[in-house]
Amino acid sequence: LLSGRETIGSSNMENDVSLKFHQQLLLISENLVTEDVTALKFLCMDLLQLSKLEGVKTGADIFKLLMAQEYLNAEDTFLLAELLYRIKCHSLLEKLGYTKEKVQERLHEKGRVSPYRQMLYELSENITNEMLKEIIFLLQSHLPKRWITPCALDLLTLLEKQGLLTKDNVQILEYIFKTVSPDLLEIIDCYKKAKGFLPLSNNIYHAKACGVSVCLVKFLNLTDKLKCFKEYLNLRGQKFCNIEKCCRQNGHTSGVIHTSVHVLLSLIKAKHSAFTISSYKMDGPHRGFCVIINNVNFNSSQRKGSCKDAEQLESVFTWLGLDVRTYTDLTSGDIINLMQTWQHVQDHKDRNCFICCILSHGESGAIYGTDDKLVSIRVLTTHFTAKQCPQLAAKPKLFFIQACQGNNIQSPVYVDTDGPTPDSSPVQERVSLSESIPEEADFLLGMATVDGCVSFRHIEEGSWYIQALCRKLQLLVPRGEDILSILTQVNEDVAKRVNPSGRKKQMPQPAYTLRRKFIFPIPMAPPPL
């Protein structure tokens, strides 16, 4: 009898787990829009039969197919987590007990989406509506008559159905993007170079005679990377064992492979000059626009010293070849309207980059207009995504924000804070820096301070962050340094400073999705100093 009760209890528990699991899946499905479902279908094409995928209308339909093939169950939800991660539905991961970071950590051992499928999806994410029209025009002879393409993924699927595109033959993509968007050829080249690694026994990868490519790091899992580099260096008489032994003696387990790969990358980079990260194109006749928003006069306060920052930024970015436009004392509505105006400027097409500097009060993930109303930094930056601003597609977009990101009030002598006064400080949730930039390539966001903290501004000399940024740009651009190296030096410079009382410090923080190095061409004229 006792045994029977235990069996019944166990069965009830299993039913409860199954019910909870299906409820989770239904909730996730309800939060997926049509574009998300289309993306999931595409990423599952190597896992599920195309004939079954064609009948899919909702996320729940896909989940049923994955469960039927035993890819998904209550005990193992990682494949779904991977899919949600790849379509950037990061907020839904918590419903499965995952975070973006946890998924990233396990992708190397449990990831199922093939490098080929990843490459195609990454391309689709960069194809704007205008580019899609051009692609359809180029492929007229290959497309059914009067065929309407709802999205880039549908076009790629059609090319696969027709046998024009396979994991071993991507020539048609090269033909397309050589004409439509040469910058996107890098994604295809990266995939092809990774494919150039020949499989050996036990999934060890060995580089061809042409040498190791950085693309291997992107498309092979970490275990295979380690084996590849091990094999690669051993074949050339290098001592790999000392590196591996050092990592393990330091007590690393999951980090061993990461550490070893980074060490090996450094070694290979030193031996192969071809192993370098390319730079963004910055040799056009027009460098780009630099928009400066300088909010000084608020209803309840004045940001003294901000005009000094604005003058310095104008001087330095003009010296760097940008066309600088400055706007003073904008309300929250004015700021959004200004972003919409610059979003539609056709002259971006002939420029290499876009830079926006905002000097104002702020809160976590937002800045204030002079009407004391908040504007989300993410709202501002997303005006310039590839789809919203096609003229800047695949071009670097840099945003520098001088504003507090917390409510702490600092009032030492000669030092002011770029945060609101207590009366105008609403209760606000913290926003991580990564959430303030679009989840697509080619953005950089330089913040004066980390989330939750104040940033300092001298009422005569300007803010610590902007003044350090201007100094380091003038010092390091002539030396050929890239922007991330420059911002690292800015961090060091600001971190060394303290307020007059010796108790207040500040640490800037950059976030970026840049795919290449961003290097300003060295100006002919001397720095404005």
Side-chain angles (χ1 to χ4, degrees):
L1 181 62
L2 182 61
S3 176
R5 286 177 179 173
E6 289 176 348
T7 302
I8 293 171
S10 175
S11 177
N12 288 337
M13 286 182 62
E14 289 178 3
N15 288 336
D16 289 343
V17 170
S18 178
L19 178 60
K20 184 180 178 181
F21 174 56
H22 283 83
Q23 287 174 336
Q24 288 174 322
L25 296 183
L26 183 60
L27 187 58
I28 291 171
S29 178
E30 290 173 347
N31 281 276
L32 297 174
V33 298
T34 303
E35 290 79 6
D36 296 331
V37 176
T38 301
L40 289 176
K41 286 170 59 176
F42 185 81
L43 291 174
C44 288
M45 282 177 60
D46 298 329
L47 304 172
L48 301 171
Q49 292 181 10
L50 187 58
S51 58
K52 293 183 177 180
L53 281 173
E54 287 178 343
V56 164
K57 301 296 182 186
T58 66
D61 294 337
I62 296 178
F63 305 158
K64 288 177 186 175
L65 294 175
L66 292 174
M67 286 189 287
Q69 295 296 317
E70 299 184 351
Y71 285 124
L72 178 64
N73 55 61
E75 289 74 38
D76 186 0
T77 60
F78 185 78
L79 175 58
L80 178 54
E82 178 189 2
L83 294 170
L84 293 174
Y85 167 80
R86 295 204 183 279
I87 66 172
K88 300 181 177 66
C89 287
H90 298 149
S91 61
L92 296 179
L93 290 173
E94 63 184 35
K95 302 186 188 306
L96 297 172
Y98 282 96
T99 63
K100 182 170 71 171
E101 291 72 25
K102 284 183 179 178
V103 174
Q104 288 172 333
E105 288 173 5
R106 301 187 66 186
L107 274 177
H108 70 278
E109 61 182 61
K110 296 201 67 174
R112 286 185 174 271
V113 180
S114 69
Y116 168 67
R117 197 62 48 190
Q118 291 177 48
M119 180 267 296
L120 294 182
Y121 185 69
E122 186 176 353
L123 284 175
S124 74
E125 287 285 272
N126 285 278
I127 296 175
T128 64
N129 290 333
E130 287 301 314
M131 289 165 60
L132 188 58
K133 291 176 183 177
E134 293 178 23
I135 293 171
I136 293 172
F137 179 79
L138 285 174
L139 297 178
Q140 284 183 77
S141 60
H142 299 289
L143 303 178
K145 292 182 179 179
R146 293 188 294 276
W147 186 69
I148 300 174
T149 311
C151 67
L153 291 177
D154 290 327
L155 177 61
L156 293 172
T157 300
L158 178 67
L159 294 177
E160 287 190 278
K161 285 181 179 178
Q162 295 178 332
L164 298 172
L165 176 62
T166 69
K167 66 179 182 179
D168 298 315
N169 183 6
V170 294
Q171 288 184 357
I172 194 164
L173 295 181
E174 294 175 299
Y175 163 72
I176 290 170
F177 292 108
K178 187 175 182 180
T179 303
V180 173
S181 181
D183 285 339
L184 295 183
L185 287 172
E186 183 183 359
I187 297 173
I188 303 168
D189 289 342
C190 203
Y191 169 73
K192 286 178 63 180
K193 289 175 182 176
K195 283 283 290 181
F197 288 82
L198 303 178
L200 302 178
S201 59
N202 299 321
N203 290 323
I204 295 176
Y205 286 76
H206 168 48
K208 285 183 176 178
C210 60
V212 172
S213 164
V214 71
C215 302
L216 173 133
V217 177
K218 182 170 184 178
F219 287 114
L220 298 184
N221 68 50
L222 287 173
T223 302
D224 289 341
K225 287 175 202 169
L226 182 61
K227 290 176 181 177
C228 168
F229 288 130
K230 195 176 197 176
E231 183 78 9
Y232 180 82
L233 291 180
N234 282 346
L235 284 171
R236 288 155 180 75
Q238 303 297 317
K239 297 293 185 183
F240 180 87
C241 56
N242 292 334
I243 297 170
E244 192 171 31
K245 182 179 179 182
C246 175
C247 294
R248 297 191 186 280
Q249 282 178 343
N250 286 328
H252 297 295
T253 53
S254 61
V256 173
I257 296 173
H258 285 281
T259 306
S260 300
V261 168
H262 288 306
V263 172
L264 287 163
L265 279 174
S266 300
L267 291 174
I268 294 170
K269 184 175 181 180
K271 293 185 67 179
H272 296 270
S273 59
F275 185 28
T276 56
I277 300 174
S278 60
S279 301
Y280 285 102
K281 176 182 169 65
M282 291 290 288
D283 57 357
H286 305 289
R287 193 78 65 243
F289 291 105
C290 174
V291 174
I292 300 173
I293 298 174
N294 181 26
N295 281 351
V296 180
N297 300 297
F298 290 75
N299 293 333
S300 56
S301 65
Q302 187 180 48
R303 295 183 61 255
K304 295 180 181 179
S306 188
C307 289
K308 178 73 171 181
D309 285 344
E311 291 170 6
Q312 283 282 80
L313 288 169
E314 288 178 14
S315 178
V316 171
F317 282 116
T318 299
W319 170 66
L320 290 172
L322 286 101
D323 188 353
V324 180
R325 310 290 174 85
T326 302
Y327 303 85
T328 305
D329 292 343
L330 301 187
T331 65
S332 56
D334 292 336
I335 293 172
I336 292 175
N337 290 337
L338 183 66
M339 293 298 101
Q340 291 173 346
T341 298
W342 279 99
Q343 169 189 355
H344 298 294
V345 170
Q346 293 300 312
D347 286 348
H348 286 313
K349 189 173 183 180
D350 301 320
R351 265 67 177 180
N352 297 139
C353 66
F354 175 73
I355 296 175
C356 180
C357 305
I358 301 177
L359 316 173
S360 189
H361 288 312
E363 284 286 349
S364 180
I367 54 101
Y368 278 100
T370 53
D371 55 353
D372 292 327
K373 293 182 179 179
L374 285 168
V375 181
S376 164
I377 294 172
R378 185 175 179 85
V379 168
L380 301 181
T381 55
T382 49
H383 281 86
F384 301 95
T385 61
K387 290 188 178 179
Q388 296 297 323
C389 184
Q391 295 85 359
L392 285 172
K395 299 178 183 179
K397 281 79 66 174
L398 280 58
F399 290 78
F400 297 102
I401 312 292
Q402 168 56 43
C404 282
Q405 290 295 283
N407 299 330
N408 298 328
I409 302 300
Q410 310 281 344
S411 54
V413 178
Y414 286 116
V415 176
D416 198 1
T417 64
D418 273 332
T421 60
D423 292 338
S424 62
S425 176
V427 176
Q428 171 124 348
E429 288 187 10
R430 293 281 178 85
V431 178
S432 70
L433 188 59
S434 62
E435 293 177 11
S436 293
I437 58 175
E439 292 170 330
E440 66 165 66
D442 310 311
F443 277 85
L444 179 142
L445 176 60
M447 298 295 297
T449 184
V450 295
D451 184 49
C453 298
V454 298
S455 59
F456 296 107
R457 172 175 33 83
H458 193 287
I459 62 175
E460 294 176 357
E461 298 175 1
S463 66
W464 293 4
Y465 176 65
I466 295 299
Q467 293 303 311
L469 175 65
C470 291
R471 281 196 304 272
K472 293 302 181 182
L473 284 170
Q474 294 178 85
L475 175 66
L476 300 175
V477 166
R479 299 181 186 177
E481 296 280 1
D482 68 285
I483 192 65
L484 296 182
S485 298
I486 293 173
L487 290 179
T488 301
Q489 297 245 11
V490 171
N491 280 9
E492 181 182 21
D493 194 43
V494 174
K496 287 179 179 177
R497 294 194 62 166
V498 293
N499 74 311
S501 67
R503 293 175 298 180
K504 313 297 183 184
K505 295 181 74 67
Q506 178 182 331
M507 173 53 72
Q509 183 180 15
Y512 61 93
T513 57
L514 299 178
R515 296 174 295 119
R516 304 177 181 181
K517 286 188 176 183
F518 180 91
I519 302 174
F520 284 107
I522 299 175
M524 297 294 291
L529 300 176

